[in-house]
Amino acid sequence: MKNLLSCFLVFLSFYVSASEDPQQKKSNDPLLGAWKNFQQSLKFSLDSRLDFQRTNYHETTDVFATDQRFLFSNFRIGLDGMFNENFGFQFLYSPNDARVGMNNLNQNILSANVHYTSKNNRWHLKAGRSFLNIGTIEQTYNPNDVYTYSIIGNKFGIFKTGITTEYRTKKGQRLGLQIVNAQEDSLGHQVDLQYNVYWYGHLLEDKIKTYASYTAINDKGHIFNAPAYAIHLGIQWNLGKWQLDTDYAYVQNMPNFKENASYQSLPIRLMYKGEKFRPSVKYIYDQVYFNDPSFSGLEVSDAIDNTSIHTLEVALQYYPFPDKNFRFHIVGAYASDSFQYSSIEESHYFNSRWKFNVGVRIGFDVIKGW
């Protein structure tokens, strides 16, 4: 992390010194002109959220297990820009990201890619590690804007290494195909590829936005007992200052999920987007069903394996400076079943959960400022 920040600071000092060179302003050299355009496109962003979080787990013995702490819920460092009007790059680093890492890259490197956009802006190509375009609104938000994820939203891997081909219509519809690395076998060999077909568009421009994706793994390594696939659907309704997000996700046999189990998530969020105050309420329905309990890997009853979880979240955000990425928030959430799997013991905690967050989020461009 220290070396990474040092590189950023060295790059930034070089950027500033070059931008202040008076000879550059007087020269018509095309190389210097290209360098100036690159400088203007460059973004060096810092985005973080600090919370005081208190969580109570209600055990079956009516004793509350309490966890309270200050924590960075998310912290991201981003650098992106355009080499020219067609070619660009993206780099995104998160020191505290806990998602699964693969492909010989540190798991904290979320994005590292180059991309190309055709002159008519119809075709967009990308190669490297980047966001998997999942068809739910919950996944398209910056994690600093999501306080409670659905089970699928929390466990589904969304940063993958591979290629993206996307076609964009004149009216803003986006149709794409992504081919990425999927799953390692028991020896750590990358044997399967994952295919993701998606549509990001709208039914009514600026009013009804649509998201959809189908993801499948070509299981040549015969890792799974049944096909591995996921379906994501989302519709965002914008009515004045009111915004309603409605999502549905279905997953079976994908990485990070239990094998031979069906997962369904239905997150719904309603927000009033005021200038300074933004109250919201979010409801999540999660269902986990093991098609055959013997494949669950848990020495517990079928009744505990199969579960339906109801989660309710109420949040209030306060923006003291309109149109700036700086806010305070207070959030309360209740889940009827915490449904956690320990990475070590693979055990199931069958209890309700209360969670309370109060914190601050700040994000800005180091080069251009707020």
Side-chain angles (χ1 to χ4, degrees), residues 71-111:
L71 76 163
F72 280 98
S73 300
N74 199 271
F75 189 90
R76 294 188 169 198
I77 301 170
L79 184 68
D80 59 86
M82 297 295 296
F83 298 117
N84 55 35
E85 62 179 6
N86 302 113
F87 287 93
F89 73 96
Q90 294 176 329
F91 179 83
L92 185 62
Y93 181 85
S94 179
N96 66 340
D97 191 89
R99 297 182 187 273
V100 175
M102 298 171 64
N103 319 308
N104 292 329
L105 280 181
N106 187 300
Q107 66 177 6
N108 295 334
I109 298 177
L110 307 182
S111 294

Side-chain angles (χ1 to χ4, degrees), residues 192 221 330:
D192 294 327
I330 181 171

Side-chain angles (χ1 to χ4, degrees), residues 45 152-153 240 256 290 355:
S45 60
I152 294 179
N256 303 338
F290 284 94
K355 187 170 70 173

